[in-house]
Amino acid sequence: MCKYVRIQGRECSYVTKYPKGIFGMCWRMIYDGVMTDEDEEVFKETELWFKDNLPEPTLCKEGAQVITFFKTETTEEMLKKLEPAIQLLDKYNHPYDIVYTNFVGTILYEDEWQVAVKVEDGRMV
């Protein structure tokens, strides 16, 4: 069993040059006018659950070159909570990958549910 999981797209983030995470992909679809108003609300409710129930690493808030992975041992419930956002990616045919790994590079932040790792030039360091 792998320690970490990340749902990521096939397009890169402007900040990290690494594939966007699920929240970034959904926000991009909203900004591009792809989602219906109803689907936008579904996503925003999903994201709000995460903001209310999971610490947001300061590094992420500050736009640092980091990406986050969920810890597989403690995040089964959170992965279920992500299901509406995953369904939106599927509905709008937005490609993504679910990446399981034991190797995430340099961990700059860690809590019970997630890690934030350093990224340089689009690669984990």
Side-chain angles (χ1 to χ4, degrees):
M1 178 160 164
C2 291
K3 295 180 193 176
Y4 307 103
V5 61
R6 177 177 165 81
I7 300 167
Q8 64 187 35
R10 297 189 182 156
E11 70 279 8
C12 290
S13 161
Y14 174 77
V15 174
T16 64
K17 310 296 185 259
Y18 195 86
K20 286 181 184 179
I22 189 166
F23 295 107
M25 287 185 287
C26 288
W27 275 112
R28 182 79 266 155
M29 288 194 300
I30 290 170
Y31 297 145
D32 290 346
V34 172
M35 282 190 200
T36 64
D37 291 344
E38 182 180 272
D39 288 342
E40 183 178 332
E41 283 305 309
V42 168
F43 169 69
K44 287 179 178 178
E45 287 174 20
T46 301
E47 185 186 49
L48 183 60
W49 185 90
F50 280 85
K51 287 184 182 252
D52 288 347
N53 291 280
L54 195 71
E56 184 175 7
T58 303
L59 295 166
C60 294
K61 290 186 218 177
E62 295 172 348
Q65 289 198 359
V66 297
I67 58 171
T68 57
F69 285 83
F70 289 117
K71 293 180 175 180
T72 56
E73 290 181 357
T74 57
T75 56
E76 186 175 330
E77 177 188 0
M78 286 178 218
L79 292 175
K80 288 178 186 173
K81 293 290 187 182
L82 273 179
E83 198 56 40
I86 293 169
Q87 289 173 359
L88 290 171
L89 295 175
D90 289 339
K91 178 178 180 177
Y92 292 102
N93 297 312
H94 192 98
Y96 64 92
D97 300 300
I98 301 175
V99 178
Y100 287 89
T101 186
N102 286 325
F103 306 98
V104 294
T106 305
I107 296 174
L108 299 177
Y109 171 87
E110 183 170 4
D111 62 35
E112 183 178 347
W113 305 278
Q114 63 188 333
V115 295
V117 301
K118 187 175 182 177
V119 178
E120 286 181 5
D121 298 321
R123 292 185 320 239
M124 289 181 285
V125 179

